[in-house]
């Protein structure tokens, strides 16, 4: 009994703490690629974390605070051996949108609220994971997600343009910021423009012609050298300035009580949904190349301590990153052990390397953000979506335009709301078609196969969805339309696609049967599934229609109609 209990405990531990399962089987041959991947990731993470801090509205050092504990937490609890968790541009923008209405950027309250939001997001991730709610992101369709990302890309870029060219920051939605920038272009600082645009061009050049080189780190090094050697600060180029070296203090942020967390709840929920969708997508993309298995609910649980660690160390939101995971894959990473090294290197950076960034120009950080956003954009997806479905393209456009015009949180809310409305409409108006016999005695949709033949007086009708309260009226309307449009004696329903029947729909079937009977029209069914037939029997539908009006196949139903009406075969 004791051995069985110990085995059960070990199984639970391996399930909820995946590092216990893979670390004992670590191979010595993995160490070198893991260490190289960890070093490569450090070179990418440091400049990107500092740049994304600007999106979140906090000092660059806060971006570095967001790296070590999330990396360590995910290494212990994550189900992917390769995915990288850390600062992300989209969730950083969501964080800024949530906090921006409550405190002014740069103030102590803003910093405390940013950390508190990360803690709340961590708690929600844990709750969702314990409740095994990994399916919730299924309600965010790919078009809405891509539309949101496209909107975030544009909003983030327009927010960084003033820093790139030496203008004061702008406020408002995308269009208001764009108009403000166009109105003050005469005030740009030419030296800052050269530094910012030059950094951006260097990033693009490295990505294309020297992809193995850490583009962001190389660009920042070049920018720091240029500012230092050419004394560009004296020409109006703004820099990060002195950053105090040292590690953050661990502890709860001082935000004034639980009511503040209630204020942050809606923003935190949006971040959880979108951050989890991005994380799961990144983990699955990595798994497709490595062959590992991803546990969606464990990913929720892993993001919990990752964000709790970030918030308790004064950082902001951390989620899975596809771009940084791609860097790890390119570096041939084998396990999360390399990312533990990355966390250690970031700690050393905080302790000893912060003075190096004193002359880092803000324009170079803006260039890093803009280049990352351009890489994130995917116009080919929208062209493909237009070819596939105009309605889904409209859905993506609404999500994007909502983000641009309403703001990040209202915009994504509008996209998800429209998505759900279309889902409800689809459920209430499923595919319902009239069938005809084609070659090989197969019954197919007449709208697609006009060569199909029908039997005079008989309408064969197929309904391709569960028959429930949301679409029962539509079913009745479609049957009544068939009867009204022709000289119909019998409606034969092909019920193979009806895999469910609820009480509301059963009542509507009884009403439909009575209505058709008054017009001397028979209602028959073919290929009724057993669970549906059980509901029909319990609700009295079967007794009203009659067992002899339930057929095993469409062909059997057609033959029964011909016999009853003395029609030739």
């Amino acid at each position: 009994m004791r051995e069985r209990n110990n085995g059960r405990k070990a199984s639970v531990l391996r399930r909820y703490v995946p590092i216990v399962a893979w670390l004992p089987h670590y191979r010595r041959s993995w160490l070198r690629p893991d260490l190289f991947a960890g070093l490569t990731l450090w070179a990418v993470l440091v400049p990107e974390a500092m740049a994304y801090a600007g999106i979140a509205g906090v000092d660059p050092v806060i971006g570095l605070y967001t790296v070590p504990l999330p990396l360590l937490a995910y290494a212990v609890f994550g189900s992917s051996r390769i995915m990288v968790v850390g600062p992300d541009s989209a969730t950083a923008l969501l964080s800024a949108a949530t906090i921006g209405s409550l405190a002014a950027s740069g103030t102590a309250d803003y910093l405390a609220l940013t950390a508190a939001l990360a803690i709340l997001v961590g708690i929600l991730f844990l709750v969702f994971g314990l409740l095994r709610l990994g399916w919730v992101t299924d309600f965010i369709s790919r078009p809405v997600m891509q539309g949101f990302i496209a909107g975030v890309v544009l909003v983030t870029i327009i927010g960084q343009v003033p820093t790139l060219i030496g203008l004061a920051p702008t406020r408002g939605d995308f269009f208001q910021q764009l108009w403000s920038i166009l109105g003050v272009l005469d005030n740009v600082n030419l030296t800052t423009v050269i530094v910012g645009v030059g950094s951006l061009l260097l990033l693009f050049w490295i990505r294309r012609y020297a992809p193995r080189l850490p583009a962001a780190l190389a660009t920042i090094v070049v920018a720091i050298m240029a500012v230092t050697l050419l004394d560009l600060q004296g020409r109006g180029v703004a820099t990060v300035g002195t950053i105090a070296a040292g590690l953050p203090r661990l502890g709860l942020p001082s935000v004034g009580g639980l009511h503040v967390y209630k204020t942050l709840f809606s923003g935190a929920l949006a971040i959880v949904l979108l951050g989890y969708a991005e994380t799961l997508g990144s983990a699955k993309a990595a798994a497709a190349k490595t062959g590992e298995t991803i546990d969606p609910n464990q990913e929720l649980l892993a993001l919990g301590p990752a964000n709790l660690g970030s918030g308790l160390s004064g950082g902001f939101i951390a989620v899975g990153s596809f771009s940084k995971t791609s860097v790890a894959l390119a570096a041939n990473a084998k396990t999360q052990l390399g990312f533990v090294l990355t966390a250690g290197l970031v700690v050393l950076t905080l302790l000893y390397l912060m003075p190096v960034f004193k002359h880092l120009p803000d324009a170079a950080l803006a260039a890093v953000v803009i280049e990352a956003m351009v890489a994130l954009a995917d116009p080919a997806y929208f062209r493909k979506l237009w070819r596939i479905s105009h309605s889904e393209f409209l859905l993506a456009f609404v999500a994007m335009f909502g983000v641009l015009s309403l703001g990040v949180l209202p915009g994504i809310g509008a996209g998800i709301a429209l998505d759900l409305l279309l889902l409800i409409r689809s459920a209430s108006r499923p595919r319902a078609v009239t069938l005809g016999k084609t070659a090989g005695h197969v019954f197919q949709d007449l709208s697609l196969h006009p060569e199909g033949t029908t039997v005079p007086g008989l309408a064969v009708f197929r309904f391709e969805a569960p028959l429930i309260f949301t679409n029962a009226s539509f079913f009745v309307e479609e049957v009544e339309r068939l009867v009204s449009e022709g000289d119909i004696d019998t409606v034969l329903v092909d019920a193979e696609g009806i895999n469910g029947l609820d009480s509301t729909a059963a009542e509507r079937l009884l009403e439909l049967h009575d209505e058709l009977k008054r017009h001397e029209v028979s209602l028959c069914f073919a290929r009724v599934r057993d669970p549906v037939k059980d509901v029909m029997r319990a609700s009295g539908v079967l007794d009203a229609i009659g067992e002899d009006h339930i057929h095993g196949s469409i062909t059997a139903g057609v033959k029964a109609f011909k016999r009853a009406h003395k029609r030739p075969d």
Side-chain angles (χ1 to χ4, degrees):
M1 179 67 73
R2 182 178 299 175
E3 292 181 358
R4 185 183 302 172
N5 289 335
N6 289 339
R8 187 179 295 113
K9 290 178 181 178
S11 177
V12 171
L13 188 63
R14 285 193 296 270
R15 176 180 176 181
Y16 291 106
V17 189
I19 194 174
V20 174
W22 63 261
L23 189 58
H25 304 288
Y26 190 86
R27 301 176 187 175
R28 184 177 296 179
S29 61
W30 293 348
L31 184 59
R32 185 173 179 178
D34 273 351
L35 293 179
F36 176 73
L39 182 62
T40 303
L41 184 63
W42 170 81
V44 172
L45 257 178
V46 168
E48 285 196 358
M50 296 178 72
Y52 292 166
I55 303 175
V58 295
D59 293 334
V61 70
I62 305 298
L64 298 182
Y65 292 169
T66 309
V67 175
L69 290 184
L71 281 178
L72 293 174
Y74 188 83
V76 174
F77 297 105
S79 65
S80 171
R81 296 189 189 183
I82 305 299
M83 191 183 70
V84 179
V85 166
D88 170 73
S89 56
T91 50
L93 189 61
L94 283 170
S95 175
T98 303
I99 306 301
S101 60
L102 303 175
S105 179
T107 63
D109 287 343
Y110 190 97
L111 294 176
L113 288 170
T114 298
L117 180 62
I119 290 173
L120 180 57
V121 166
I123 293 172
L124 288 177
F125 271 129
L126 279 175
V127 171
F128 277 39
L130 291 172
L131 295 177
R132 305 189 67 77
L133 297 180
W135 50 267
V136 295
T137 55
D138 293 339
F139 288 93
I140 304 177
S141 68
R142 178 84 191 280
V144 166
M145 189 67 181
Q146 289 298 117
F148 164 74
I149 290 173
V152 165
V153 165
L154 294 173
V155 168
T156 303
I157 289 175
I158 202 66
Q160 295 297 314
V161 166
T163 304
L164 186 79
I165 59 179
L167 293 175
T170 56
R171 299 184 65 84
D173 61 38
F174 173 84
F175 301 104
Q176 291 170 334
Q177 291 186 66
L178 177 60
W179 186 253
S180 297
I181 292 170
L182 293 175
V184 293
L185 283 178
D186 293 341
N187 299 330
V188 300
N189 180 282
L190 184 58
T191 307
T192 302
V193 171
I194 294 172
V195 171
V197 176
S199 297
L200 191 57
L201 292 175
L202 180 59
L203 283 164
F204 286 131
W205 186 90
I206 293 174
R207 296 287 188 195
R208 181 167 184 176
Y209 297 106
R212 292 184 176 275
L213 192 67
L217 183 63
T219 300
I220 281 180
V221 169
V222 170
I224 291 174
M225 291 175 62
V227 169
T228 304
L229 297 176
L230 302 176
D231 189 25
L232 297 184
Q233 285 178 275
R235 301 184 184 182
V237 176
T239 60
V240 169
T242 303
I243 302 176
L247 300 179
R249 293 182 179 179
L250 298 180
L252 288 170
S254 178
V255 293
L258 290 177
H259 70 280
V260 176
Y261 287 92
K262 293 180 181 178
T263 306
L264 298 174
F265 183 81
S266 60
L269 187 59
I271 290 170
V272 167
L273 292 175
L274 294 166
Y276 175 61
E278 186 177 356
T279 297
L280 196 58
S282 302
K284 288 182 176 179
K289 295 187 177 182
T290 61
E292 60 184 346
T293 301
I294 300 300
D295 182 346
N297 291 300
Q298 185 61 33
E299 291 302 291
L300 283 169
L301 289 172
L303 290 173
N307 281 280
L308 286 173
S310 179
L312 291 173
S313 56
F316 53 94
I317 313 299
V319 295
S321 167
F322 179 75
S323 61
K324 287 183 272 293
T325 301
S326 298
V327 169
L329 284 168
N332 200 29
K334 301 299 182 183
T335 70
Q336 292 284 331
L337 191 62
F339 311 148
V340 174
L341 171 64
T342 303
L345 291 174
V346 172
V347 168
L348 293 176
T349 301
L350 285 166
L351 288 173
Y352 303 110
L353 297 183
M354 297 317 296
V356 173
F357 299 106
K358 178 180 179 180
H359 298 294
L360 171 60
D362 292 336
L365 286 179
V368 170
V369 172
I370 291 173
E371 191 273 338
M373 291 297 98
V374 172
L376 192 62
D378 188 7
Y381 172 81
F382 291 92
R383 291 194 295 268
K384 179 181 178 182
L385 188 62
W386 175 258
R387 294 194 301 268
I388 295 173
S389 170
H390 289 183
S391 62
E392 288 190 285
F393 179 88
L394 176 63
L395 193 62
F397 179 80
V398 167
M400 181 187 73
F401 187 76
V403 170
L404 296 180
S405 58
L406 303 176
V408 179
L409 292 177
I412 189 58
I416 293 176
L418 182 58
D419 207 1
L420 292 176
L421 286 174
L422 291 177
L423 176 64
I424 294 170
R425 185 183 184 280
S426 176
S428 62
R429 294 292 185 273
R431 192 165 181 265
V433 298
T434 305
L435 306 181
K437 184 188 288 187
T438 59
H441 301 284
V442 177
F443 287 86
Q444 292 181 294
D445 181 0
L446 284 173
S447 65
L448 300 177
H449 300 272
E451 75 278 6
T453 60
T454 60
V455 178
L458 174 67
V460 182
F461 174 69
R462 175 181 290 163
F463 194 75
E464 300 180 351
L467 188 52
I468 55 176
F469 70 97
T470 58
N471 57 35
S473 295
F474 176 68
F475 176 90
V476 171
E477 290 168 5
E478 288 296 291
V479 172
E480 291 176 341
R481 179 184 58 79
L482 277 176
V483 173
S484 66
E485 289 180 352
D487 187 14
I488 301 299
D489 298 315
T490 298
V491 176
L492 176 62
V493 179
D494 175 18
E496 184 184 35
I498 302 176
N499 58 8
L501 179 69
D502 68 5
S503 60
T504 302
E507 290 179 8
R508 296 307 308 272
L509 284 179
L510 286 170
E511 294 170 2
L512 176 63
H513 171 262
D514 293 340
E515 179 68 19
L516 293 178
K517 190 174 181 180
R518 283 194 294 271
H519 291 84
E520 298 181 345
V521 177
S522 298
L523 180 62
C524 302
F525 287 82
R527 302 197 291 182
V528 181
R529 297 173 181 265
D530 288 340
V532 174
K533 188 180 288 186
D534 290 341
V535 177
M536 293 174 73
R537 182 177 290 108
S539 60
V541 172
L542 203 57
D543 289 338
I545 292 175
E547 290 274 3
D548 58 331
H549 283 63
I550 307 296
H551 306 287
S553 66
I554 299 176
T555 301
V558 173
K559 287 182 178 180
F561 171 81
K562 289 180 177 180
R563 285 196 302 270
H565 293 78
K566 298 179 181 179
R567 303 279 174 82
D569 289 334

